[in-house]
Structure formats: structure tokens, C-alpha cells
Amino acid sequence: MKILHVIPNMQSGGAEKMLVDIVEEMQLKKHHCEVAILTKTNNFFGEQLEKLNIPIYYGENSKVYTLKNIYFLMKIIKKNDYDVIHTHLFGPQIFTPIALKLAFKKIPLITTEHSTHNRRRENRFFFY
């Protein structure tokens, strides 16, 4: 299975550490993983991914919340045949579905919030 993981950055945090652990375990199970990181700032765990020889795509922007990240993701999605795309945290949750539509690809999309509570859960807009 070929999986693209999308995350805002690889700073020192729980979601970032969990992504490294997931990708490492998936490699052991013979799944091919690639990681798209919206910005290279604070790249603490990115170095660990590089040691695992995981293909990594770094966004060229210093900001996570820029519409340019839609184009960045769309180019990656168009160029590759993924079986699944797994987004982590809010920025990728917004931009990846749009990039997927613009790439004219129908790929299952999985998302992980990585938080037990946030204000978005109270907003019905995010459930439709």
C-alpha cells in the first residue's frame, strides 16, 4: 500500500513523534509511505524521517496557513498514485481535500485530529 502522510511541520510535538512512529511501523509491514510537510520550519522530527529513507516533500512557504499549500499538495497528488492519504492536524485537514479535488483524483482520505478537545468540535460546520 502506498500512503501519503500530510502534516504542517515536524517540530518537537506529539503528533510529529507519532507520525515518525507510524511510518516506521508501516515500513516494517512493507507499506510504502511518503510525507508531505507544509513548512520546513522547526524540523526536529523531520531529521528522523530522513534517517528512515522516507520520501519527504517540503513546502516552500514559511507559513502553514497559505493557499499556496493547496498547489504544493496538488502537484504531489497528481504526480503519484497513492492508495490512501492521511492528514495530521488542522492545516492539512483544510488544504488536502481541496488539493485532491483539483488533482481530479479519488483517493480515500483519513484524518487524525491529535487532540482530545478543541473549539472546532463544537462547530457543526466541520461535521458536514
Side-chain angles (χ1 to χ4, degrees):
M1 182 176 290
K2 188 172 181 179
I3 304 158
L4 175 66
H5 291 273
V6 185
I7 194 160
N9 58 48
M10 288 303 285
Q11 67 187 9
S12 179
E16 296 80 5
K17 170 66 172 130
M18 190 179 107
L19 177 60
V20 171
D21 293 344
I22 288 172
V23 168
E24 190 169 17
E25 187 65 30
M26 288 180 150
Q27 269 190 326
L28 293 173
K29 302 219 183 283
K30 306 297 183 206
H31 296 294
H32 177 81
C33 292
E34 297 182 0
V35 178
I37 304 169
L38 300 183
T39 178
K40 196 172 180 174
T41 58
N42 302 324
N43 195 36
F44 181 80
F45 282 113
E47 295 170 7
Q48 288 189 10
L49 285 176
E50 290 169 5
K51 289 178 186 174
L52 295 171
N53 294 318
I54 301 294
I56 302 172
Y57 305 95
Y58 289 104
E60 297 176 6
N61 302 293
S62 61
K63 296 180 183 178
V64 171
Y65 297 103
T66 175
L67 295 176
K68 292 177 183 178
N69 282 327
I70 295 170
Y71 181 70
F72 163 67
L73 292 169
M74 184 188 70
K75 286 191 312 186
I76 296 167
I77 293 167
K78 271 187 162 184
K79 189 170 80 172
N80 296 282
D81 290 320
Y82 297 108
D83 297 304
V84 172
I85 298 175
H86 186 171
T87 63
H88 303 268
L89 303 169
F90 190 60
Q93 291 170 348
I94 295 170
F95 297 137
T96 307
I98 298 168
L100 198 55
K101 290 282 187 191
L102 293 173
F104 299 104
K105 296 249 186 153
K106 292 188 185 244
I107 302 168
L109 186 60
I110 299 169
T111 188
T112 302
E113 178 63 38
H114 295 281
S115 176
T116 57
H117 183 74
N118 64 47
R119 291 181 301 227
R120 288 186 301 280
R121 287 185 180 197
E122 298 165 3
N123 189 333
R124 293 186 64 124
F125 173 79
F126 292 106
F127 291 102
Y128 296 104

